Amino acid sequence: MPTLDKEQQKTRSAFSKSLFWLGSAQVLGRIVRLACSIIIARLLTPEVFGEVAIILTCFELICTPTRRITSASLIKMDDQTFNATLPNANKINWMASITAFVAMSLLSWPLAIYHQDLALIPPMILMATSYLLLPFGMLHAASNLKQNKMRIVGRAILWQTIGDSILTASLALLGLGIWAIIIPKVLVILIWVGIHRYNNPLGDEGYANKLKMISLDKPNQAINSHKHAQTGFIRHQISAFIERVQAQKGKLFQNNAKRQDDVEQTKKLTKKLSVSSPSTTKLLSFGSQVGLSDLSIALRQNIDYLLVGYFLGIEALGVYFFAFNASLGISTSIVQGFGTALYSHLCTPKNPHSDSQDKQSQADKKLNKTDADKDDNETVSSSIPVSSEIKSRYTNSLSLILKLTVPIVLLQAALSPFYLPFVYGEQWISAGALPVFILLCLSGLVRPLGEAVSQLLISINKQQLNLKLNFGFTILLVTTICIFSQWGLQGVALGILIIHLVAMPAVSIYVHLFILNSSTHKAASSVKACTKSNSKMNNKINNSSSKAFNQEVSHDA
């Protein structure tokens, strides 16, 4: 068994802590929600559950593309670029949230007409107002995720869930019906916003001063690490300048000409190393790709609600919605926390002492690029080679989440005939929810594989491949539900179990063979070529003129 150095152990420990805080928050929230679900399951009818399923499904499908439209890019940035990008990111967040509000408000009318229930319109419009509250905390949440403050992220999720459950149970006992579920989900957004803003005040002057000190004391940190050739040249210039200043330290006041020359050179280097944020168009372009990938995942996870409601009616949808949330609630909460922690974990800067071969291969690839117009987009959209460290982080994290979820799913499926009627009531057993519950619960065995693959592909800027895979699986899922729906809810649940057991492991194996292993083999086979390319790089650097230096830095900064 290979031994881990201190840096690798520290990285793995950090991910374990992140997963612990997010997972524990999700599980504790699920326990609190269990008490709430017992109350509403005994007070509300399957028809009300069907209406809630329609509203929450529409909300999730519209909200998903906006949830990470800027945070996916912000998490990857260094501190200076992050701070400079905040104004553009805030504009995009507001634009996306307003668009989502309008879209859901307009969608409420055709849905109400189709289901012949105009009572759907007011709760859908009220649910849509929660979109307008999200921008107040989206940047702060992205900052916490970027800094791996998963304890704060988990705290926001936990208190949001607790507030939602307490309000829902209270309003349900007061007899408010569907409003008992919708009203709390809007109000608890304020809890989420408040916790993220309280623990991360982006407008604080100390934070801005800290960023200024970083830019003055360590200007070379402003350079993107993936610009290896240009970074080496700038470091060479800075080192030479610092050595010359130190050598001439005692003579600066005696030689005004030399001092003036040093000041001018300092201004030039500072100007070349200044940070420029990605434009709104480029930030929106990358966020849109990530949003589409997330939308394909959300569509895959929620398309069954729409199809069951279409083929089997609202009452059957209510039974399916109850069985799905009761069976996959705990495991889904853990998997969602895992996905959040995994993305931040994979985007964390690499250990500088590991994967030297990968760094050399990346530098060789950068030297072969001649189109200067592509340089501005690389901070947010260029494909990142998969290093052995990323592969190690991915495999270890996936192994950890499977060790957590598999026992929980098996235990839950085994005990479901005993606790389901006792906890939720006999009316759900008579409605046929038990076999649907067990089949859907077993599909949770492989769901972490799909979440892990999606976060890996997005973290290495292969969101287009992630979109294709999720879109392909969604087509298979739709086809399966359309075919198996003729056998009722049990047939639909059986089809969902089969397609997950086949497709999820197949996608995971594909990523291991053609994404992870192929990149590692390419890196290993290019060591000799990298050595030669490095010598050529040094010759090019030494022979470069000052005019060429000025042209390169403007695209790299």
Side-chain angles (χ1 to χ4, degrees):
M1 182 177 180
T3 59
L4 299 176
D5 57 25
K6 293 182 179 180
E7 291 293 335
Q8 290 175 329
Q9 291 177 351
K10 184 178 179 181
T11 301
R12 182 178 296 187
S13 176
F15 174 75
S16 300
K17 291 180 180 179
S18 299
L19 183 60
F20 169 76
W21 288 116
L22 290 177
S24 61
Q26 295 279 9
V27 172
L28 290 175
R30 179 58 58 176
I31 294 174
V32 175
R33 188 174 294 176
L34 176 62
C36 173
S37 62
I38 293 173
I39 295 175
I40 63 176
R42 294 177 180 272
L43 294 178
L44 302 182
T45 63
E47 289 81 1
V48 175
F49 271 91
E51 294 175 352
V52 171
I54 293 174
I55 295 174
L56 296 184
T57 299
C58 294
F59 173 82
E60 186 66 21
L61 291 177
I62 297 175
C63 180
T64 298
T66 67
R67 187 172 289 132
R68 294 201 297 172
I69 193 168
T70 57
S71 63
S73 299
L74 294 174
I75 291 174
K76 294 184 176 184
M77 297 177 182
D78 56 68
D79 291 338
Q80 292 178 324
T81 309
F82 175 85
N83 190 56
T85 311
L86 290 179
N88 291 337
N90 190 46
K91 294 178 182 178
I92 294 175
N93 289 339
W94 275 106
M95 179 181 65
S97 298
I98 294 174
T99 303
F101 168 77
V102 174
M104 187 167 179
S105 299
L106 295 178
L107 183 62
S108 63
W109 292 90
L111 283 176
I113 294 173
Y114 174 78
H115 291 285
Q116 299 180 353
D117 187 5
L118 296 179
L120 283 174
I121 297 176
M124 283 195 70
I125 295 178
L126 177 62
M127 191 70 192
T129 58
S130 61
Y131 293 130
L132 303 179
L133 301 176
L134 292 175
F136 292 103
M138 293 176 71
L139 296 181
H140 300 78
S143 177
N144 286 328
L145 288 171
K146 179 181 180 299
Q147 301 175 56
N148 272 320
K149 294 181 178 179
M150 297 305 170
R151 186 173 184 176
I152 298 176
V153 177
R155 186 184 305 162
I157 295 173
L158 176 60
W159 286 108
Q160 184 181 8
T161 304
I162 291 175
D164 184 14
S165 301
I166 294 176
L167 287 175
T168 300
S170 301
L171 296 179
L173 291 173
L174 293 176
L176 293 184
I178 191 174
W179 295 101
I181 299 178
I182 301 302
I183 293 176
K185 295 191 180 301
V186 178
L187 296 179
V188 295
I189 299 294
L190 299 175
I191 298 177
W192 178 81
V193 171
I195 293 177
H196 280 293
R197 290 181 67 94
Y198 176 78
N199 289 279
N200 188 18
L202 293 181
D204 185 56
E205 296 181 358
Y207 182 80
N209 293 333
K210 180 180 178 181
L211 290 176
K212 292 179 180 179
M213 292 302 297
I214 292 175
S215 63
L216 292 175
D217 295 341
K218 300 178 180 180
N220 58 327
Q221 289 184 357
I223 304 173
N224 297 322
S225 59
H226 66 278
K227 291 288 188 178
H228 187 79
Q230 296 175 354
T231 302
F233 187 30
I234 294 175
R235 287 176 178 171
H236 172 75
Q237 293 289 325
I238 294 174
S239 299
F241 171 67
I242 293 175
E243 290 177 0
R244 185 158 61 85
V245 170
Q246 291 177 349
Q248 300 291 334
K249 185 176 180 181
K251 301 179 180 179
L252 286 177
F253 295 97
Q254 300 176 4
N255 192 344
N256 293 330
K258 180 63 68 177
R259 182 177 61 183
Q260 185 65 25
D261 179 70
D262 291 337
V263 172
E264 292 177 357
Q265 188 172 357
T266 302
K267 291 181 179 179
K268 290 181 181 180
L269 290 175
T270 304
K271 183 178 180 180
K272 293 168 185 176
L273 294 171
S274 60
V275 178
S276 61
S277 62
S279 64
T280 303
T281 304
K282 295 167 187 174
L283 194 65
L284 182 60
S285 175
F286 181 80
S288 300
Q289 295 179 18
V290 176
L292 289 176
S293 298
D294 291 344
L295 176 61
S296 64
I297 298 174
L299 189 63
R300 165 170 59 84
Q301 295 175 343
N302 294 276
I303 192 66
D304 49 350
Y305 293 147
L306 301 178
L307 294 176
V308 169
Y310 177 79
F311 287 112
L312 303 178
I314 291 184
E315 184 176 357
L317 174 59
V319 176
Y320 180 85
F321 181 75
F322 163 79
F324 185 94
N325 285 275
S327 61
L328 292 173
I330 296 177
S331 60
T332 301
S333 299
I334 297 176
V335 170
Q336 288 176 349
F338 162 73
T340 302
L342 179 61
Y343 181 75
S344 299
H345 182 57
L346 294 176
C347 293
T348 302
K350 293 172 54 180
N351 177 12
H353 300 292
S354 65
D355 296 329
S356 59
Q357 295 177 357
D358 298 321
K359 293 181 179 181
Q360 290 177 342
S361 62
Q362 292 180 37
D364 182 48
K365 291 179 182 179
K366 298 302 179 182
L367 284 175
N368 294 330
K369 291 184 178 180
T370 57
D371 188 3
D373 293 335
K374 295 181 181 179
D375 291 343
D376 293 332
N377 295 326
E378 289 178 352
T379 57
V380 294
S381 61
S382 61
S383 180
I384 300 175
V386 182
S387 66
S388 60
E389 183 171 351
I390 293 180
K391 179 181 178 182
S392 176
R393 292 182 182 184
Y394 170 78
T395 54
N396 292 332
S397 303
L398 181 59
S399 175
L400 177 61
I401 191 62
L402 289 176
K403 291 178 181 178
L404 289 175
T405 55
V406 170
I408 294 176
V409 170
L410 293 177
L411 182 63
Q412 189 177 8
L415 298 178
S416 59
F418 304 99
Y419 77 84
L420 188 62
F422 176 76
V423 174
Y424 296 103
E426 291 289 343
Q427 70 272 20
W428 295 105
I429 302 298
S430 60
L434 180 58
V436 179
F437 180 97
I438 296 175
L439 292 173
L440 292 176
C441 186
L442 293 176
S443 69
L445 293 171
V446 293
R447 289 177 184 265
L449 299 176
E451 182 69 22
V453 167
S454 294
Q455 301 304 326
L456 172 67
L457 294 178
I458 294 175
S459 66
I460 61 176
N461 289 348
K462 292 185 179 293
Q463 55 273 0
Q464 292 183 353
L465 176 60
N466 180 46
L467 177 62
K468 293 178 182 178
L469 291 176
N470 281 287
F471 184 72
F473 180 82
T474 303
I475 294 177
L476 292 176
L477 185 62
V478 170
T479 305
T480 301
I481 294 176
C482 293
I483 295 174
F484 282 81
S485 62
Q486 57 184 321
W487 291 287
L489 282 179
Q490 296 184 21
V492 172
L494 178 61
I496 291 175
L497 173 61
I498 293 174
I499 195 65
H500 276 84
L501 292 179
V502 173
M504 291 298 177
V507 171
S508 181
I509 293 173
Y510 170 81
V511 170
H512 272 279
L513 293 178
F514 298 99
I515 303 297
L516 296 179
N517 291 338
S518 62
S519 298
T520 304
H521 294 331
K522 289 179 181 179
S525 63
S526 62
V527 174
K528 294 182 179 179
C530 290
T531 304
K532 294 181 180 180
S533 66
N534 285 338
S535 61
K536 293 180 180 180
M537 179 185 67
N538 293 331
N539 292 333
K540 290 182 178 181
I541 290 175
N542 293 330
N543 294 330
S544 299
S545 61
S546 59
K547 182 177 181 180
F549 171 75
N550 292 334
Q551 293 174 349
E552 292 175 357
V553 174
S554 61
H555 295 287
D556 183 63

